[in-house]
Amino acid sequence: MMPTLHFTKKLREGGARRKCGMLLGLKAGVTREKFLEALQNNRLEDLFQRHPVQAGETFFIPARTPHTIGPDMVICEVQQYSDLTYRVYDYGRVDARGKTRELHIEKALAVINFDPKAGGKVTPQPWVKGRENASMNHLAECPYFSVDRLDIDRMAQFKLVEVRPGHSRFQVFVVLSGEGFLSWDDPQGSVPVQAAECWFIPANKSYSIRTEGRISVLTAFVP
């Protein structure tokens, strides 16, 4: 569990297996006492809400919401900057020396949100309509990050403008599928990009994405 805001998007575009899923948020009626009892009896998963997932879906996970990722999933995570993760259950796994990883039960219980309505699947909101060669969907936003998805045929141009005078912003984008070229001006340059790569775009930079077919990109920035 992460005590910071967290967002996840299923990255694998080839289709999820039938049993892929996510445990996100606790069921109604779960209390601290029930949580501890289930943990002691190795039945913690029974208290979670189960969410089946498909390729390309988006989930928003508010701070303090317990969650775990199922098998056979490749995901892209965007989160508030933090190096804290509270682990409450590790499925009995051990390292190469036969030792278990550290758990953080008391710290996690101090911040867990037991509200069953915390987090869930996000419905994309179209931002750009009617463009033949590109579409943009807004996926998630909070005070710490904003995330969009771009689906581009052939070519699209972008410029990172100042949110307000004197406040520039950078952008990070992750290629979800496809391949193409990232180009920029001042000075001019171009590099090939492909699925699963992550690129940093400096503030106030004009750039374009060009592809021979179709490319899908996840973009993230600080609002």
Side-chain angles (χ1 to χ4, degrees):
M1 188 197 71
M2 297 184 180
T4 53
L5 283 169
H6 189 226
F7 160 93
T8 181
K9 178 176 181 62
K10 191 157 192 317
L11 182 61
R12 190 183 299 279
E13 298 293 326
R17 296 186 183 182
R18 186 174 62 178
K19 293 185 179 180
C20 279
M22 176 185 296
L23 302 182
L24 170 58
L26 299 170
K27 296 178 180 177
V30 175
T31 62
R32 175 190 173 96
E33 291 71 26
K34 290 181 179 179
F35 190 93
L36 276 172
E37 181 182 358
L39 188 60
Q40 293 168 356
N41 295 320
N42 293 320
R43 298 183 60 85
L44 192 59
E45 287 191 358
D46 295 343
L47 304 186
F48 277 79
Q49 300 179 52
R50 294 180 179 271
H51 298 263
V53 299
Q54 295 294 326
E57 291 183 334
T58 299
F59 289 81
F60 185 78
I61 305 174
R64 303 164 43 231
T65 304
H67 59 280
T68 187
I69 309 300
D72 300 317
M73 294 174 62
V74 179
I75 64 174
C76 178
E77 296 181 333
V78 178
Q79 70 176 68
Q80 173 192 0
Y81 175 75
S82 173
D83 59 359
L84 287 178
T85 299
Y86 291 158
R87 187 179 302 110
V88 296
Y89 184 65
D90 204 24
Y91 299 90
R93 286 179 288 205
V94 296
D95 62 19
R97 294 176 294 179
K99 294 185 177 182
T100 59
R101 295 193 294 181
E102 181 183 4
L103 300 180
H104 314 93
I105 297 172
E106 290 302 319
K107 290 181 178 180
L109 285 172
V111 298
I112 280 180
N113 182 3
F114 288 92
D115 184 353
K117 298 180 181 179
K121 188 181 299 185
V122 172
T123 300
Q125 302 297 319
W127 273 27
V128 177
K129 298 180 180 179
R131 290 184 60 175
E132 182 180 348
N133 66 323
S135 65
M136 175 185 288
N137 285 285
H138 185 53
L139 301 181
E141 184 168 354
C142 67
Y144 306 102
F145 55 77
S146 182
V147 183
D148 300 307
R149 173 175 173 145
L150 307 174
D151 294 289
I152 301 166
D153 291 314
R154 297 187 299 280
M155 186 172 185
Q157 295 181 336
F158 305 92
K159 178 175 176 59
L160 301 184
V161 299
E162 293 184 347
V163 181
R164 54 188 183 276
H167 290 77
S168 302
R169 69 185 184 195
F170 64 87
Q171 188 176 84
V172 173
F173 80 77
V174 180
V175 183
L176 300 178
S177 64
E179 57 185 22
F181 290 88
L182 171 66
S183 303
W184 59 88
D185 298 321
D186 193 29
Q188 290 188 338
S190 179
V191 293
V193 296
Q194 61 184 354
E197 290 184 346
C198 181
W199 291 85
F200 179 87
I201 309 296
N204 292 333
K205 197 74 173 178
S206 296
Y207 71 97
S208 63
I209 300 174
R210 175 170 52 86
T211 177
E212 297 295 331
R214 183 177 179 85
I215 189 171
S216 296
V217 176
L218 197 70
T219 67
F221 60 88
V222 179

